[in-house]
Amino acid sequence: MAFLTLYKALETGQLIKDPYFTLFEAVGALEIMDPKMDSGFLADGEPLEDTFDVLTELLPEEVVGLMDQMLCHEMAWHMGHPLSTLEDARFDRHEQPSREDGLLHVIFRAYCLATIKCCNFVHQRISREHYYEEEDFVSNLYNRRLLDDFDASDMQQLIDEALSFAEGKSAWDDGLRKAISVRLTLRRRLLIAMGSDLSPDKDAQIRCWKHCSELLPALIETRVVSKPVKAAFSIKIQRRLASSVPPRPMVEATFDETHAFLANLCRDAADVYRVLDYHGSSNILNFAYTFQSRKPEPSIYVRCLLQSLIFHDMKVLGSVTITKAVRDDLEELVLPADILLDSANGDVEAPHDPRFQMAKEMHAFMLRVGDPFLDMFRAVCMNRPRMRRMLCHLVSDWESVQLEAENLDVELRKYTREKPITEGHPSGTEIWSFPLSSWAYYYKLRQMEWIIQLGFELDIYQNDELPGMYWHLSNVAGAKMQHLERMQTFVTRRFRNATVRYRALEGKQMRGVVRSAMGEGHQPLPYSTAELRHALRMRPFMQLSIPEPAPYAELAAATSIPSGAAEDDEQGSIKEQAMSMLDMADEEVRMGRKEWEALGKLDAKTARCVSCEECWRGAVKDIIRACIACSIAVATTKKGLQDAVAVGAPLSEMVTADMPWAGQRYHDFWIVPKLSVQKA
């Protein structure tokens, strides 16, 4: 009443400010009694605490249901949902010691503790690697501890006791005993696999994850005996968490979603250990890139595990130093059996000896490029949008590496006494190898390819931008092919190198397919212009010295039909020019398909896919299917053009195009429209 009396004494617009009532208190006052912001808000008749008694005796079917619910919440956490509505929401309800009921105290308690320890292993692995908070994973534990002071063997012993207890329950039917045993066994194997995820015994880890996969069909089979206990989970636990964020709604993943996610996690975790077969840095990079392109995308735990396996404790794959990894890659690509990489150079101690200077300069260079080299691997281990974003920044670092390497190449000539190539050049122009800068330039071009290709996969480009971006990709692929041919020229001065030949073939077939994908399609959009969109797409490459981004005028001229054709011979000239373009596209697709088929016949060692041969060959087959679909699209367009000329109708009225989204294509990098010809 006193407040109302004072309120009436105020004039309209009059404000009274308390100097101790800060912005924090003001915002806090707005949050009070708002159910979306106030975790302590209670509706009419709602109790402060839940009425569910954690000591309530449960049926065996209800315990199976609780296990399934916990597994669903755990996988939702792996998917990126916060811990506040998942782990703490359930564990806190069962952390009180229950009475000596074997079903709860032996079986369910062991399952809960083992699940917490699994979450602890996952949290530790992810937190130690590169990831993006709230994007990939929510690492906030809200000042809770996940049994990090206890050893995994203690949890395994509890599960073994629970399994023995369940086997001794003769009163339960076989289906119920199997359901409980399968869930306890799966939890035990997950605990072992996650607890020793960096074990050097690759075969043992693969077997462990495959054993987990083998239990998943039985998990589905015994699902029928599960009886959920929804009252056992509540968001009211968030009132006790050390959190400054508003309460979050409970996340409930379905059992089918959980099973599919867990099946993919076990499969990916088993396959990721194949990276430990060291066959050079290029094999590791190809494995990581191919592995990350899987659909569905590997989970954040598997991606961080891949990072740890590739580089941990300053070693690549646990045994190879970063300088050796760079050295092996240089030797494989540009300096096979070269004096610059001769290990005997490091034994020379005389500073005036050229070998001493070569060893000193090469060691300094390998240390310099170590960080950009590893960052390239880290970028490939990210989720696809983040990978593209990181590559846009990383390509600038490789530009700097290339410029520094070029100066070092000139400096090293006086020690190696390299002789230039002059044959075949009437003017006598000297061509030098520039091995270190060539190596850096190759990886810069490869990253530029990835940036553009990921734009297609992520549906970044508008339909009218596709011809221009494929044209730009063709230029980058062409520059890469020419660069590889140049490198091969110097490599073959000593002997032929299969690695360079494979990469040259890769660049050649890519350029053929890319050129066939170009066509006309600059459609006006009300919110931008073609010039501005071109500037936006070229922004990551604007600061690069070579290759220089093509200006918009050049791109428009290369991807458009000259408008003057209609003035010469009306429909006849237009049809003739369109048919000529379609014939050229058909020939490019045919050549691209032929070269991809040749690439797919290479052995795994030559193709640098020893650890990921199955996935790599699957990707090659998908691209060949895209080539076939492109040939069909060209043939359909030809037929539609002939029908359009016959009836005097525009081509757009005779042929309809459906642009497939990512996931609906034969290969995400190659967008082939689905065309259909309308009846005249």
Side-chain angles (χ1 to χ4, degrees):
M1 295 299 295
F3 177 79
L4 294 177
T5 302
L6 294 174
Y7 163 73
K8 294 179 181 179
L10 295 176
E11 298 180 1
T12 303
Q14 185 177 358
L15 177 66
I16 298 178
K17 182 180 181 302
D18 186 345
Y20 298 101
F21 192 74
T22 63
L23 177 62
F24 181 82
E25 283 79 10
V27 174
L30 294 175
E31 296 176 356
I32 295 175
M33 301 305 291
D34 183 352
K36 294 183 179 180
M37 302 294 290
D38 185 3
S39 61
F41 174 80
L42 296 176
D44 293 339
E46 180 184 0
L48 179 63
E49 297 291 342
D50 290 317
T51 57
F52 179 77
D53 184 6
V54 296
L55 303 180
T56 301
E57 184 176 354
L58 298 175
L59 297 173
E61 294 81 358
E62 292 177 325
V63 172
V64 175
L66 284 174
M67 291 179 177
D68 289 343
Q69 287 176 273
M70 292 175 66
L71 183 63
C72 291
H73 287 305
E74 181 186 6
M75 292 302 107
W77 182 51
H78 278 262
M79 296 176 191
H81 296 289
L83 195 66
S84 61
T85 60
L86 305 174
E87 303 301 319
D88 292 307
R90 64 175 182 272
F91 291 144
D92 191 80
R93 305 196 59 76
H94 299 285
E95 64 187 6
Q96 305 178 39
S98 54
R99 60 186 179 182
E100 293 300 322
D101 182 349
L103 196 59
L104 284 177
H105 185 71
V106 178
I107 294 179
F108 192 58
R109 177 174 176 269
Y111 189 86
C112 286
L113 294 176
T115 303
I116 298 174
K117 192 60 182 177
C118 284
C119 293
N120 180 39
F121 288 141
V122 171
H123 185 269
Q124 288 179 352
R125 174 61 50 229
I126 295 176
S127 299
R128 291 170 182 170
E129 300 302 332
H130 289 72
Y131 73 99
Y132 288 87
E133 186 73 24
E134 298 281 349
E135 179 180 318
D136 290 319
F137 185 71
V138 181
S139 62
N140 191 356
L141 297 181
Y142 306 97
N143 205 28
R144 298 295 179 100
R145 303 186 68 179
L146 300 178
L147 301 180
D148 49 343
D149 294 333
F150 294 86
D151 193 74
S153 60
D154 299 332
M155 312 304 164
Q156 295 175 30
Q157 182 178 354
L158 290 175
I159 291 184
D160 291 339
E161 294 174 359
L163 284 169
S164 300
F165 179 86
E167 290 297 327
K169 281 292 185 179
S170 58
W172 295 348
D173 59 66
D174 294 340
L176 186 57
R177 277 202 306 272
K178 181 179 180 181
I180 293 178
S181 297
V182 164
R183 283 154 179 79
L184 289 173
T185 305
L186 175 62
R187 180 55 58 188
R188 189 181 191 280
R189 291 181 177 175
L190 287 173
L191 187 65
I192 296 174
M194 293 176 175
S196 58
D197 55 4
L198 292 185
S199 170
D201 191 347
K202 177 195 69 171
D203 295 332
Q205 286 301 109
I206 293 176
R207 286 195 304 269
C208 194
W209 282 106
K210 286 186 175 180
H211 289 162
C212 294
S213 298
E214 292 168 358
L215 287 171
L216 296 183
L219 192 69
I220 289 288
E221 179 185 344
T222 57
R223 170 68 175 162
V224 293
V225 304
S226 174
K227 185 178 180 181
V229 185
K230 294 187 178 298
F233 300 86
S234 172
I235 64 173
K236 290 185 178 181
I237 186 63
Q238 296 186 51
R239 298 172 183 172
R240 306 182 210 172
L241 302 180
S243 173
S244 59
V245 300
R248 305 189 189 227
M250 180 75 72
V251 176
E252 296 183 6
T254 66
F255 190 80
D256 291 338
E257 292 173 346
T258 298
H259 177 269
F261 183 86
L262 183 57
N264 291 329
L265 188 149
C266 294
R267 181 203 63 182
D268 295 339
D271 291 344
V272 77
Y273 287 95
R274 302 185 190 279
V275 75
L276 294 177
D277 294 327
Y278 182 71
H279 297 279
S281 300
S282 60
N283 267 286
I284 302 175
L285 186 61
N286 288 339
F287 175 89
Y289 186 80
T290 305
F291 182 81
Q292 288 298 109
S293 63
R294 285 185 169 186
K295 297 293 183 291
E297 188 178 56
S299 68
I300 177 61
Y301 170 73
V302 176
R303 297 203 306 269
C304 289
L305 177 58
L306 177 59
Q307 291 184 57
S308 298
L309 292 174
I310 291 178
F311 187 72
H312 183 68
D313 289 338
M314 303 303 294
K315 295 289 182 67
V316 176
L317 303 186
S319 59
V320 182
T321 63
I322 180 61
T323 53
K324 185 180 186 308
V326 174
R327 180 189 181 280
D328 291 348
D329 201 71
L330 286 167
E331 183 177 16
E332 179 184 271
L333 188 60
V334 292
L335 294 172
D338 193 274
I339 189 175
L340 286 173
L341 298 178
D342 190 351
S343 57
N345 293 343
D347 299 331
V348 179
E349 298 181 357
H352 62 275
D353 194 307
R355 292 174 295 173
F356 177 87
Q357 296 297 329
M358 284 188 287
K360 175 184 175 182
E361 295 292 348
M362 289 300 297
H363 182 71
F365 174 77
M366 287 185 281
L367 290 177
R368 162 67 180 89
V369 302
D371 286 340
F373 193 66
L374 281 179
D375 286 342
M376 182 170 56
F377 286 86
R378 290 193 180 103
V380 172
C381 293
M382 297 293 108
N383 62 65
R384 306 299 271 182
R386 184 60 63 174
M387 173 185 171
R388 185 179 185 274
R389 182 176 179 84
M390 289 183 66
L391 288 174
C392 289
H393 297 286
L394 189 58
V395 71
S396 300
D397 295 339
W398 281 89
E399 169 78 5
S400 301
V401 171
Q402 180 188 349
L403 295 177
E404 294 177 19
E406 187 173 344
N407 295 329
L408 182 58
D409 284 328
V410 176
E411 180 71 19
L412 289 173
R413 284 180 199 162
K414 62 184 180 183
Y415 304 122
T416 61
R417 298 179 181 179
E418 176 190 358
K419 297 185 182 301
I421 293 179
T422 56
E423 298 88 355
H425 297 276
S427 61
T429 303
E430 297 181 343
I431 301 179
W432 300 90
S433 62
F434 288 97
L436 302 183
S437 60
S438 295
W439 175 79
Y441 185 45
Y442 166 77
Y443 277 111
K444 184 177 73 171
L445 289 172
R446 194 170 185 184
Q447 292 168 43
M448 292 176 66
E449 282 183 348
W450 287 342
I451 291 171
I452 301 172
Q453 290 171 334
L454 286 170
F456 297 115
E457 178 180 339
L458 299 173
D459 289 321
I460 292 177
Y461 311 130
Q462 298 284 344
N463 288 342
D464 64 298
E465 295 180 276
L466 296 180
M469 294 311 299
Y470 275 121
W471 179 82
H472 184 60
L473 180 59
S474 175
N475 288 345
V476 176
K480 177 183 170 185
M481 183 179 69
Q482 293 175 2
H483 182 59
L484 287 170
E485 291 173 348
R486 181 185 184 279
M487 291 161 56
Q488 186 180 15
T489 301
F490 288 94
V491 169
T492 52
R493 293 177 72 181
R494 290 183 292 272
F495 56 87
R496 299 185 64 83
N497 183 278
T499 299
V500 176
R501 291 204 310 275
Y502 151 68
R503 289 173 174 173
L505 178 61
E506 182 187 39
K508 184 178 179 182
Q509 48 78 24
M510 179 178 291
R511 191 181 187 192
V513 175
V514 166
R515 289 174 61 184
S516 68
M518 297 187 301
E520 186 178 15
H522 292 289
Q523 302 173 0
L525 296 176
Y527 50 84
S528 68
T529 63
E531 293 85 350
L532 291 177
R533 290 195 299 276
H534 174 261
L536 177 65
R537 303 311 180 199
M538 296 298 106
R539 183 177 296 174
F541 316 122
M542 293 304 296
Q543 53 188 333
L544 303 183
S545 56
I546 53 172
E548 295 182 2
Y552 173 74
E554 184 178 348
L555 179 144
T559 58
S560 302
I561 298 177
S563 58
E567 301 174 0
D568 297 333
D569 190 21
E570 297 295 334
Q571 297 295 332
S573 178
I574 297 176
K575 176 186 176 183
E576 181 180 348
Q577 192 165 27
M579 279 296 183
S580 176
M581 291 183 64
L582 291 172
D583 290 339
M584 180 188 70
D586 195 23
E587 178 64 17
E588 293 288 351
V589 172
R590 187 189 63 80
M591 292 177 57
R593 177 184 174 183
K594 180 180 179 181
E595 289 164 356
W596 272 111
E597 290 173 346
L599 187 69
K601 294 178 182 178
L602 296 177
D603 62 276
K605 185 176 180 181
T606 304
R608 319 308 297 162
C609 62
V610 175
S611 304
C612 57
E613 182 177 1
E614 183 179 353
C615 294
W616 179 81
R617 295 196 185 281
V620 171
K621 290 180 180 178
D622 289 340
I623 295 177
I624 293 175
R625 293 189 186 100
C627 292
I628 297 173
C630 192
S631 296
I632 296 173
V634 172
T636 304
T637 306
K638 286 183 177 180
K639 184 179 184 305
L641 181 60
Q642 293 172 351
D643 293 348
V645 173
V647 300
L651 180 62
S652 58
E653 295 182 2
M654 298 300 298
V655 179
T656 59
D658 181 22
M659 303 299 293
W661 295 95
Q664 302 173 346
R665 309 165 189 156
Y666 292 105
H667 194 284
D668 285 337
F669 291 169
W670 310 111
I671 305 175
V672 181
K674 298 179 181 179
L675 304 179
S676 59
V677 179
Q678 304 296 325
K679 293 183 179 180

